């Protein structure tokens, strides 16, 4: 039965996988299902990538919450079906749809590895891949974590004790109501049969904070207290036991046994004592595992275990050690009552440091002052007595549990055996939870690396890549991070970026690392420990009473290796008293490999971008000359990301004293190929004009030069002119418009007219018949010259055109040359919602009035 649904559709672009991961994560966390988030995110990421990249269609993601599982469906609209393998041997589901050595289909292989069930469904024009993840079992029922005191809990009220028996159907409605229920709650059976139990029960927990009534009724068994509403409207506190039943036909129901709260001892399950417990005047001792334990949280389980173990033997302190993966070392995972020397995740060999004899046997230390254990945890702790027992699962040592007291001779063999009995009961839960934690860490690491790869692939900016590396490492892997870069093999590493989880410590940390010699590049892989920052801080007296106090614990260096060379170093650090866990170091190595390639790609991109920009800037004209009596302004924009020069160009230069040349042109095409002809045209115009040739002669020579380029030549539209300011304040112009959009003249009365006539474009014919046209710009008049990126600006079938440009120019009367260019540019930008796809150049010439001059 589906209890909740969430769906979304993602467009076929590179950002969809990240958006789908965020959608699934938010949906599952919103439903309170963090246990399956990592697996779901990884699988959805692969399936959505298959849909938008390989199938090339939009992806529909649907999350369905079921009673005991979560089903997620990813649908694309690619009709192609997978073909089964034709090789020898049996064919599995994953064989049919995925090639493990191929680029596609890995999502289905991952479904078969991570999901409880999965499948592929086809319909007309669509394909759905679904998978189901099983929800972990919840802790059933509730128990009081207090000593059982039957004497005070036994019923003491007058009259008989009534036990109400109520049976509820699958929908939570009353099926049966016995006479004791009538006596206790004042409802006759006829008044409640068929009514929802929620109308009568006053449930203490809101669904957002704990199990609601509906979820509790579906448990196999539950025990606890809540309120019940009487017929007269009053509420009474009851204690109940609920059991889930099924009849012979499989129809479920819930049986509830209820008593008044003062009579709870009739139904309440008593806490069980350990065999051999000594009588205690205060009552029986707590069972080591009494009360609910969050078995999906290893740290909580271990901490609660040491606290209850300490109480079990009236100790002053307790600790719990777990073996590492290779079972060669113990690792401190939980402690209580120990402050001096307690370092979480500290390690030491299994064979020494915690007892005199074998680590696999219980041991009692009567006086640690005469025979110290050498255990760092107990150094300077004041503890005198110690009892330790091993934690074993199927004969394999997984840890050690110890209880200490401040007085000597506190414990004997009987105490060790009682503690061993408790440790045997908790060992399996600890190992099971540890394996669950390791699996969650593995899946969480996979999810982390998927997101890290996605983020690193999303930028080619060098500085942003450095920042992303540090932000992914802090605080997930370490409390602080530094990135060093190595320009070449001979140069030392250079500190490039520093980040700390506490922003106030970034500057002191950067200063310290600046004073510390950079780590050597070293090998191309593996983790190295680095003590130089700590040594520098100690030598400068910076470890006490400064901003660096407690900052420096373990520090590790990981090489950033890409294309068989070390291009940098990733330095990670934790505070004093903290050690890196092995799984964190392994995850850091995986991150460093991905980050190194991203960093090298960003470096290469930055270098090539800088080279490209330098070459492109050489094709742009230098600063425009100032022309007495004429205002000039230019707007230029090249199409394409990273392009500074395209097929459009402009120029304004001095021909001789008092005469200036100007040009605006458009080479066929965009990008670097067109820019190469742009450079030829601009430099040729300057050279030919300064040789004393008139405008038609200049253009004919340029036409010949373009045709000489052979297969690399491109046709060119060009507006070229010469202007000469006159003493009366006007400006004389000589123009040739070779296939270019005609220039527009704005008169002082707002009238707009064409300032030239069209003539043949360049780069097509050998012999061109070109003539110069002359006009005079009076004070206040404007000459507007543009490329076709302005006039051919489109929105669907609608185009700005010459008439639209003339309408824009009509409203520019009285504006300066710069204001005219800006208004035309804004009009082009606003004409359509999409960004311009063509190169664009705008050149405005205006003769100011006498007062403005």
């Amino acid at each position: 039965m589906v209890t909740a649904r969430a769906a979304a559709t993602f467009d076929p672009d590179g950002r969809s996988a990240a958006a789908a991961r965020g959608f699934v994560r938010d949906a599952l966390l919103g439903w309170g299902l963090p246990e399956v988030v990592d697996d779901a995110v990884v699988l959805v990421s692969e399936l959505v990538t298959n849909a938008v990249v390989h199938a090339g269609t939009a992806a529909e993601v649907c999350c369905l919450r079921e009673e005991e599982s979560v089903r997620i469906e990813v649908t694309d609209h690619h009709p192609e079906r997978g073909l089964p393998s034709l090789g020898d041997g049996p064919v599995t589901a994953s064989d049919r749809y995925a090639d493990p050595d191929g680029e596609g289909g890995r999502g289905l292989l991952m479904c078969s590895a991570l999901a409880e069930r999965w499948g592929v469904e086809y319909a007309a024009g669509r394909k759905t891949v679904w998978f189901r993840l099983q929800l972990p079992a919840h802790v059933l029922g509730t128990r009081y974590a207090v000593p059982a005191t039957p004497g005070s809990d036994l019923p003491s009220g007058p009259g008989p004790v009534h036990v109400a028996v109520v049976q509820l159907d699958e929908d939570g409605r009353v099926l049966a109501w016995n006479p004791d229920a009538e006596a206790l709650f004042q409802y006759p059976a006829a008044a409640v049969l068929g009514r929802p139990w929620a109308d009568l029960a006053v449930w203490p927990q809101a669904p957002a904070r704990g199990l609601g009534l509906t979820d509790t009724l579906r448990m196999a068994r539950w025990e606890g207290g809540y309120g019940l509403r009487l017929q007269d409207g009053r509420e009474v506190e009851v204690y109940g036991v609920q059991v889930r039943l099924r009849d012979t036909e499989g129809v479920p129901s819930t049986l509830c046994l209820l008593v008044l709260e003062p009579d709870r001892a009739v139904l309440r399950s008593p806490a069980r004592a350990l065999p051999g417990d000594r009588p205690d005047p205060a009552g029986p001792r707590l069972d080591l595992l009494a009360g609910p334990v969050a078995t999906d949280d290893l740290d909580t389980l271990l901490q609660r275990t040491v606290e209850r173990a300490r109480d079990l033997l009236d100790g002053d302190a307790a600790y719990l050690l777990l073996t590492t993966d290779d079972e060669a070392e113990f690792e401190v995972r939980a402690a209580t009552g120990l402050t001096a020397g307690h370092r979480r995740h500290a390690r030491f060999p299994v064979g020494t440091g915690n007892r005199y004899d074998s680590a696999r046997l219980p041991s009692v230390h009567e006086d640690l002052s005469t025979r110290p254990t050498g255990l760092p945890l107990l150094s300077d702790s004041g503890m005198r007595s110690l009892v330790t027992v091993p934690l074993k699962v199927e004969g394999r040592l997984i840890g050690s549990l110890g209880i200490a007291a401040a007085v000597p001779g506190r414990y004997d063999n009987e105490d060790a055996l009682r503690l061993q009995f408790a440790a045997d009961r908790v060992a399996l839960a600890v190992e099971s939870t540890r394996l669950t934690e390791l699996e969650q860490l593995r899946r969480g690491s996979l999810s982390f690396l998927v997101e890290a790869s996605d983020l690193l692939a999303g930028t080619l900016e060098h500085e942003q890549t450095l920042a992303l590396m540090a932000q992914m490492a802090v605080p997930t892997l370490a409390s602080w991070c530094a990135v060093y870069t190595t320009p070449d093999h001979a140069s030392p590493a250079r500190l490039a970026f520093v980040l700390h989880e506490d922003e106030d410590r970034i500057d002191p940390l950067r200063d310290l690392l600046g004073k510390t010699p950079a780590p050597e590049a070293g090998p191309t892989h593996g983790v190295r420990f680095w003590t130089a920052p700590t040594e520098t801080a100690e030598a400068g007296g910076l470890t006490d009473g400064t901003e660096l106090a407690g900052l420096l614990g373990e520090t590790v260096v990981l090489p950033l290796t890409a294309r068989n060379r070390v291009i940098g170093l990733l330095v990670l650090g934790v505070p004093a008293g903290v050690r890196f866990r092995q799984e964190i170091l392994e995850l850091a190595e995986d991150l460093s490999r991905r980050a190194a390639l991203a960093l090298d790609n960003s470096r290469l991109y930055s270098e090539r971008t800088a080279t490209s920009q330098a070459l492109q800037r050489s094709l742009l004209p230098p600063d425009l000359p100032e022309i007495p009596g004429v205002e000039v302004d230019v707007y230029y924009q090249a199409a394409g990301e990273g392009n500074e020069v395209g097929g459009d160009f402009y120029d304004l230069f001095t021909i001789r004293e008092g005469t200036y040349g100007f040009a605006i042109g458009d080479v066929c095409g965009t990008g670097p190929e067109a820019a190469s002809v742009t450079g030829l045209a601009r430099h040729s115009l300057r050279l030919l004009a300064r040789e004393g040739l008139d405008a038609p002669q200049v253009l004919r020579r340029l036409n010949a030069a373009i045709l000489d380029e052979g297969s690399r030549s491109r046709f060119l539209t060009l507006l070229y002119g010469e202007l000469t300011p006159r003493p009366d304040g006007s400006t004389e112009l000589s123009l040739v418009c070779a296939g270019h959009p005609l220039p527009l003249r704005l008169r002082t009365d707002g009238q707009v007219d064409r300032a030239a006539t069209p003539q043949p474009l360049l780069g097509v014919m050998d012999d061109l018949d070109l003539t110069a046209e002359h006009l005079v710009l009076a004070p206040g008049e404007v000459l507007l010259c543009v490329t076709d990126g302005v006039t051919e600006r489109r929105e669907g079938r609608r185009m700005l055109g010459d008439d639209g440009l003339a309408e824009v120019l009509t409203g520019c009367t009285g504006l300066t040359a710069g204001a005219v260019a800006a208004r035309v540019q804004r009009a082009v930008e606003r004409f359509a919602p999409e960004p311009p796809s063509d190169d664009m150049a705008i050149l405005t010439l205006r003769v100011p009035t006498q007062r403005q001059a």
Side-chain angles (χ1 to χ4, degrees):
M1 182 177 66
V2 176
T3 60
R5 182 180 186 274
T9 301
F10 302 93
D11 295 331
D13 58 50
R15 296 169 295 181
S16 293
R21 289 196 296 270
F23 162 73
V24 171
R25 180 182 292 105
D26 292 344
L28 297 183
L29 292 178
W31 292 342
L33 305 175
E35 304 90 347
V36 297
V37 166
D38 289 335
D39 286 351
V41 164
V42 170
L43 295 179
V44 167
S45 179
E46 288 292 332
L47 296 178
V48 170
T49 300
N50 288 342
V52 302
V53 174
H54 301 300
T57 74
E60 300 171 7
V61 180
C62 180
C63 303
L64 303 173
R65 179 180 178 180
E66 301 170 339
E67 290 188 1
E68 298 179 352
S69 61
V70 171
R71 175 184 168 113
I72 299 181
E73 302 171 351
V74 178
T75 301
D76 63 56
H77 298 279
H78 194 282
E80 182 176 320
R81 297 170 180 252
L83 296 177
S85 171
L86 299 179
D88 297 333
V91 180
T92 66
S94 59
D95 291 331
R96 292 190 182 98
Y97 300 105
D99 173 13
D101 297 324
E103 191 63 26
R106 289 181 301 212
L108 301 183
L109 286 175
M110 296 182 71
C111 285
S112 66
L114 299 180
E116 178 199 18
R117 297 183 62 189
W118 68 279
V120 183
E121 299 175 356
Y122 291 92
R126 59 194 285 129
K127 179 185 74 194
T128 299
V129 181
W130 62 269
F131 60 89
R132 179 174 280 112
L133 300 174
Q134 189 73 19
L135 297 178
H138 292 284
V139 178
L140 302 182
T142 57
R143 294 173 183 268
Y144 287 98
V146 296
T149 53
S152 60
D153 281 355
L154 290 176
S156 58
V161 174
H162 294 285
V163 179
V165 179
V166 180
Q167 190 168 6
L168 310 174
D169 65 14
E170 186 177 7
D171 296 325
R173 297 180 180 273
V174 178
L175 280 176
W177 187 264
N178 76 336
D180 273 14
E182 295 181 349
L184 279 177
F185 309 127
Q186 305 173 7
Y187 284 103
V192 295
L193 292 179
R195 289 184 61 180
W197 187 236
D199 291 351
L200 305 177
V202 182
W203 199 248
Q205 292 180 332
R209 296 190 176 183
L211 290 176
L213 176 60
T214 301
D215 292 334
T216 305
L217 292 177
R218 290 176 180 161
M219 285 184 168
R221 190 179 189 279
W222 182 89
E223 178 180 334
Y226 53 97
L228 206 69
R229 191 175 291 107
L230 302 181
Q231 190 171 21
D232 59 9
R234 293 182 297 113
E235 295 180 7
V236 296
E237 295 296 320
V238 299
Y239 193 87
V241 174
Q242 297 172 181
V243 181
R244 188 72 163 169
L245 306 173
R246 289 185 183 271
D247 61 18
T248 55
E249 297 180 358
V251 177
S253 62
T254 302
L255 185 67
C256 304
L257 305 180
L258 303 170
V259 297
L260 295 177
E261 174 62 25
D263 302 333
R264 64 185 182 277
V266 173
L267 299 179
R268 182 176 170 191
S269 301
R272 291 171 294 175
L274 293 173
D277 270 348
R278 299 171 181 172
D280 192 329
R285 296 179 181 272
L286 283 174
D287 186 337
L288 183 59
L289 294 180
V293 177
T295 55
D296 60 342
D297 183 354
L298 181 61
D299 289 335
T300 300
L301 173 62
L302 298 182
Q303 190 61 35
R304 190 166 298 181
T305 297
V306 297
E307 291 171 356
R308 293 176 179 176
R310 179 188 61 182
D311 295 340
L312 182 70
L313 296 183
D314 293 330
D316 297 312
Y319 62 84
L320 194 149
L321 316 174
L322 292 183
T323 56
T324 54
D325 292 340
D326 58 4
E327 300 183 11
E329 291 183 305
F330 277 126
E331 182 180 20
V332 180
R333 293 301 302 268
T336 183
L338 295 172
T339 55
H342 171 213
R343 293 200 309 163
R344 184 177 172 141
H345 301 303
R347 295 183 180 183
F348 43 86
V350 168
T352 59
N354 67 315
R355 57 178 65 86
Y356 297 115
D357 49 2
S358 171
R360 301 179 179 275
L361 298 175
S363 179
V364 176
H365 303 275
E366 295 182 346
D367 193 346
L368 298 178
S369 64
T370 57
R371 297 188 65 186
T373 65
L375 187 67
L377 277 175
L378 301 179
S379 299
D380 302 322
S381 65
M383 298 296 111
R384 299 285 298 276
S385 301
L386 176 66
V387 56
T388 62
V389 296
L391 297 176
K392 295 182 181 180
V393 173
E394 298 180 352
R396 182 171 58 87
L397 181 69
I398 67 164
S400 177
L401 177 63
I403 300 177
V407 296
R410 180 70 172 271
Y411 303 115
D412 55 22
N413 289 345
E414 185 178 351
D415 292 316
L417 294 177
R418 294 176 65 244
L419 184 61
Q420 184 68 71
F421 178 83
D424 291 342
R425 297 187 62 194
V426 78
L428 185 59
V430 169
E431 180 67 359
S432 175
T433 308
R434 179 166 70 162
L435 293 176
T436 301
E437 181 192 67
L438 291 175
E439 182 65 13
Q440 290 175 345
L441 285 173
R442 184 187 67 80
R443 295 180 177 181
S445 298
L446 183 58
S447 178
F448 170 78
L449 292 174
V450 167
E451 291 215 30
S453 299
D454 188 59
L455 288 171
L456 290 170
T459 180
L460 286 173
E461 183 66 36
H462 191 66
E463 295 300 325
Q464 188 174 359
T465 302
L466 291 172
L468 280 175
M469 291 170 55
Q471 290 166 5
M472 286 184 291
V474 177
T476 304
L477 305 179
S479 62
W480 63 269
C481 170
V483 183
Y484 290 80
T485 57
T486 54
D488 51 61
H489 294 290
S491 302
R494 178 182 62 85
L495 183 62
F497 198 89
V498 177
L499 183 66
H500 194 284
E501 59 185 352
D502 182 355
E503 292 185 359
D504 294 336
R505 291 194 165 193
I506 294 178
D507 290 336
L509 177 61
R510 184 185 293 108
D511 293 340
L512 174 64
L513 295 178
K515 299 174 183 177
T516 303
E520 297 181 359
T524 59
H525 64 277
V527 178
R528 292 180 290 127
F529 287 90
W530 190 38
T531 60
T534 303
E535 294 169 356
T536 301
E538 291 175 349
L542 303 176
T543 55
D544 297 318
T546 69
E547 294 172 307
L548 296 175
L551 171 67
L552 300 174
E554 277 192 343
T555 304
V556 295
V557 178
L558 299 100
L560 297 172
T561 306
R563 297 177 175 90
N564 297 321
R565 76 180 190 90
V566 178
I567 63 169
L569 300 167
L570 180 66
V571 178
L572 302 177
V574 291
V578 178
R579 294 188 62 181
F580 281 103
R581 297 180 62 179
Q582 185 61 34
E583 54 267 23
I584 294 296
L585 295 178
E586 293 171 358
L587 183 57
E589 283 193 79
D590 288 335
L591 175 63
S592 68
R593 284 192 288 269
R594 288 163 170 78
L597 187 59
L599 185 63
D600 200 41
N601 289 339
S602 68
R603 178 187 61 82
L604 293 174
Y605 177 79
S606 298
E607 290 176 356
R608 293 181 182 180
T609 299
T611 302
S612 173
Q613 289 175 345
L615 293 174
Q616 291 186 66
R617 291 191 189 103
S618 70
L619 299 177
L620 292 173
D623 295 337
L624 300 179
E626 292 186 5
I627 303 177
V630 179
E631 294 178 3
V632 181
D633 200 88
V634 173
Y635 174 81
Y636 182 80
Q637 177 178 307
E641 184 178 356
N643 290 335
E644 295 189 29
V645 179
D648 290 6
F649 69 96
Y650 67 92
D651 201 359
L652 181 66
F653 54 92
T654 302
I655 298 177
R656 54 188 173 273
E657 186 176 355
T659 300
Y660 303 86
F662 67 93
I664 184 169
D666 184 0
V667 179
C668 173
T670 60
E673 295 83 0
S676 64
V677 180
T678 294
L680 170 66
R682 193 176 66 78
H683 292 297
S684 296
L685 285 174
R686 288 185 171 228
L687 178 64
L688 294 171
R690 289 168 178 169
E691 288 295 320
L693 302 177
D694 61 15
Q697 292 173 330
V698 168
L699 267 59
R700 280 193 288 269
R701 297 283 183 90
L702 174 59
N703 180 63
I706 293 174
L707 291 175
D708 287 344
E709 290 292 304
S711 61
R712 296 183 298 175
S713 67
R714 291 170 175 257
F715 64 80
L716 166 68
T717 69
L718 179 65
L719 171 64
Y720 171 72
E722 298 179 357
L723 64 89
T724 304
R726 302 199 304 193
D728 62 357
S730 62
T731 298
E732 182 181 357
L733 292 92
S734 175
L735 300 174
V736 177
C737 187
H740 198 76
L742 299 177
L744 297 180
R745 178 180 186 175
L746 173 63
R747 299 183 183 272
T748 55
D749 59 358
Q751 180 182 348
V752 175
D753 51 32
R754 293 181 175 88
T757 57
Q759 300 186 56
L761 75 168
L762 310 181
V764 178
M765 299 179 293
D766 290 329
D767 297 324
L768 293 181
D769 184 14
L770 302 173
T771 58
E773 301 179 74
H774 301 275
L775 74 152
V776 176
L777 286 182
E781 293 186 340
V782 175
L783 184 71
L784 175 65
C785 311
V786 300
T787 58
D788 60 7
V790 174
T791 56
E792 295 181 3
R793 174 71 160 142
R794 295 178 179 274
E795 182 187 28
R797 297 184 178 180
R798 192 168 63 97
M799 187 170 68
L800 179 62
D802 295 335
D803 293 339
L805 180 61
E807 184 179 348
V808 174
L809 185 58
T810 301
C812 296
T813 304
L815 299 181
T816 64
V820 172
R823 181 167 293 188
V824 172
Q825 183 266 331
R826 286 198 301 271
V828 174
E829 294 283 351
R830 295 172 180 173
F831 189 77
E834 300 82 11
S837 59
D838 194 6
D839 300 332
M840 181 168 56
I842 302 171
L843 173 64
T844 57
L845 304 174
R846 179 178 182 270
V847 179
T849 61
Q850 294 297 326
R851 184 177 61 182
Q852 290 174 326

